[in-house]
Structures are given as structure tokens and as C-alpha cells.
Amino acid sequence: MITLKNINKTFRIAKRKAGFGSAVKALFSREYEYVHALRDVSFTVSDGEMVGYIGPNGAGKSTTIKIMCGVLTPEIDGGTCEINGRIPWKNRVAHVREIGVVFGQRSQLWWDVPVIDSFELIRDIYKTDAATYKRNLNELVELLELSEIIKTPARSLSLGQRMRCEIVASLLHSPKILFLDEPTIGLDAVSKLAVRQFIKKLNAEHKTTVLLTTHDMQDIEALTQRIILIGKGQILMDGSLAELKKKSPTGANAEEMVAALYKEYEI
């Protein structure tokens, strides 16, 4: 069970004008801008549920994911976050054993070594027993058709191949929850279809809870029944795809529906 209640997060960002003079001035006197990434964000996700967490760039999606992973902490007195009875940033060791994370623009694979060596290192990091590791590895490699790839260095893989390997790396320790932050970014149609089918199978057979952030509404339609819309750090909608369609013109596709909501909420 994932529970967020009134989560707030503000970043302080240094600003300066272009030019050498401004750079020297900034050494002695800096100007800062405060960005409110999250404002009273609250929602719950039940065990085994697949939820689409959507919004425009800069809306606060990745910040929310990082707080739920324990990478970031919210503001003091800025709300609460509990996942399976734990506070992520206070119980990180126990917490990370039960979650898997895939960031579409980050890699957990070592760049210059064969993928299988990265998998072995990840097994040691999570202290996964040999039997569980071997069972999970064989199953995941077969499902994602990676048997010809895992002996290749990560730097030699295509984007689609690497993303499938990233998903395997995040699941080797049998997590109960999977956070997917734009996992299909830049993938071709065949690779996207393979990833979607795998995620659906994972949820159906292992009851893995999945929170998916993406700009690809086809991913949302294929995988989720519930949508949480965030904009300017605030939750604007939490409901089903059917409810989303009611807010949009008749016959509009998913992307047009979301665009209409962005316009409605001025985000």
C-alpha cells in the first residue's frame, strides 16, 4: 500500500545573467528562485494496482517518484509518505528491498561491462539468494528475449535493448512495487509493445504494484485503468479513463483528452 498525504517539496535554484561580469558578481552575491515542485500532494495506491501518473514536463512527477523511493525527502512538516508501513527516507535499506525503479533517462547498468556482470553486481547489492536470483533471471531473460544480449556491454546496446535490460535489473530481487518513470521514452513500436506486454504479465501473475509516469498515452491506455493528473505540483484529477473521457470532446483520442485537460487547468 502506498499512501501520500499533503506532501510538499520546494527547491532553491540559483539564477544569474549571462556573461563574465555576472559570473564574478554571483561569487559574492547570488540570486535565488524558489520552485514549488509539490504542493499538498495526496493519493493512495492499493496492492496490485497499476496507476498512470501523468502531467506535463516540470509538473512534479519525477520528484514524487524520488520521494517514494527515498532519494528525496519532503519539507519538514511537509506531509507524510508511507509505503508498506515504512517511511522511505527513514527506512531506506529495508524499503529498497521491496521496490524496483526504472528511470527512462538514467541507467543502473555499468557502461563498459557485459549486462550479465551488472546483474551479478545488483544481486550482490540486494543480497539476493542464489536460487531466487537464478529463477528470476531465467524468467525475465526469456520473457523479454534477452538471451543473445546479456553478454554484450551496455554501451553496445540499442536504446530498446538497454531499456529491457534496465527492467530486468529492477526486478531481479522480486520487488513488490515497481516505479516506472518514462520507461518507453525513445523506443520503437516493437520495443514498446514488448515492454507493455511484459508489464501486464508481471502484474497479472505476480500482483506487482505499478506506478507509471509517461507522456505516451498509448502506454496509459494499454496498462492502466486509473489516472492521477498532476500540474504545477498539485493533484488535479484522480479517476478512471472513463472519467477522463467524460471531460473531453466526443471522439477525442487519449492524447487529445489530456491536452484538453492541460488547457482546462492552464498547465
Side-chain angles (χ1 to χ4, degrees):
M1 171 73 79
I2 299 172
T3 303
L4 276 73
K5 187 174 181 181
N6 302 122
I7 291 290
N8 292 280
K9 183 66 178 178
T10 301
F11 295 101
R12 189 177 75 159
I13 301 174
K15 296 283 186 178
R16 71 169 178 83
K17 297 179 181 179
F20 180 75
S22 296
V24 173
K25 182 180 178 181
L27 293 173
F28 304 96
S29 177
R30 290 192 176 187
E31 296 181 2
Y32 293 95
E33 176 183 340
Y34 290 87
V35 177
H36 300 287
L38 299 176
R39 302 171 185 260
D40 292 324
V41 169
S42 301
F43 60 82
T44 62
V45 178
S46 302
D47 292 339
E49 192 174 8
M50 287 206 294
V51 178
Y53 192 45
I54 64 174
N57 291 328
K61 302 186 300 298
S62 294
T63 300
T64 309
I65 296 291
K66 289 174 182 176
I67 286 176
M68 289 190 288
C69 293
V71 176
L72 293 177
T73 59
E75 296 172 13
I76 299 175
D77 299 326
T80 59
C81 172
E82 275 197 17
I83 299 179
N84 290 334
R86 298 188 182 94
I87 298 173
W89 55 93
K90 291 184 179 180
N91 310 104
R92 286 195 65 182
V93 175
H95 175 61
V96 297
R97 287 177 179 163
E98 295 189 346
I99 66 170
V101 188
V102 177
F103 287 104
Q105 301 182 60
R106 301 279 192 282
S107 179
Q108 58 189 317
L109 303 174
W110 279 260
W111 198 240
D112 292 313
V113 302
V115 172
I116 189 63
D117 286 352
S118 291
F119 291 166
E120 293 282 349
L121 288 167
I122 290 168
R123 181 198 68 176
D124 292 339
I125 290 171
Y126 284 98
K127 298 180 180 178
T128 306
D129 65 85
T132 300
Y133 169 76
K134 186 175 181 179
R135 182 185 70 247
N136 289 345
L137 178 64
N138 291 339
E139 179 184 4
L140 294 167
V141 166
E142 181 181 353
L143 287 172
L144 286 170
E145 300 178 356
L146 298 177
S147 58
E148 301 298 323
I149 296 174
I150 57 175
K151 296 180 182 179
T152 305
R155 58 180 166 76
S156 300
L157 300 179
S158 70
L159 180 57
Q161 291 171 331
R162 184 174 63 79
M163 287 310 304
R164 282 184 283 156
C165 291
E166 296 281 357
I167 291 173
V168 171
S170 70
L171 294 170
L172 288 170
H173 59 292
S174 302
K176 297 178 181 178
I177 301 171
L178 183 60
F179 297 114
L180 299 173
D181 191 5
E182 299 190 46
T184 61
I185 187 170
L187 301 191
D188 59 51
V190 174
S191 296
K192 282 186 178 184
L193 185 61
V195 169
R196 288 173 191 157
Q197 290 175 338
F198 171 75
I199 294 170
K200 290 172 75 172
K201 186 177 179 68
L202 178 74
N203 175 258
E205 295 186 357
H206 299 281
K207 305 302 179 186
T208 304
T209 304
V210 178
L211 188 68
L212 169 68
T213 78
T214 180
H215 292 294
D216 189 333
M217 290 308 300
Q218 290 182 345
D219 288 344
I220 296 295
E221 287 188 289
L223 296 172
T224 69
Q225 290 298 318
R226 177 184 169 199
I227 292 174
I228 301 174
L229 174 66
I230 185 172
K232 296 181 180 178
Q234 296 176 294
I235 300 297
L236 303 176
M237 175 189 167
D238 185 349
S240 65
L241 277 171
E243 291 173 326
L244 175 62
K245 291 177 181 179
K246 289 179 182 178
K247 291 178 172 287
S248 304
T250 303
N253 61 35
E255 290 184 349
E256 290 171 342
M257 287 187 280
V258 171
L261 281 176
Y262 289 175
K263 186 176 181 180
E264 176 184 344
Y265 290 112
E266 298 181 349
I267 59 176

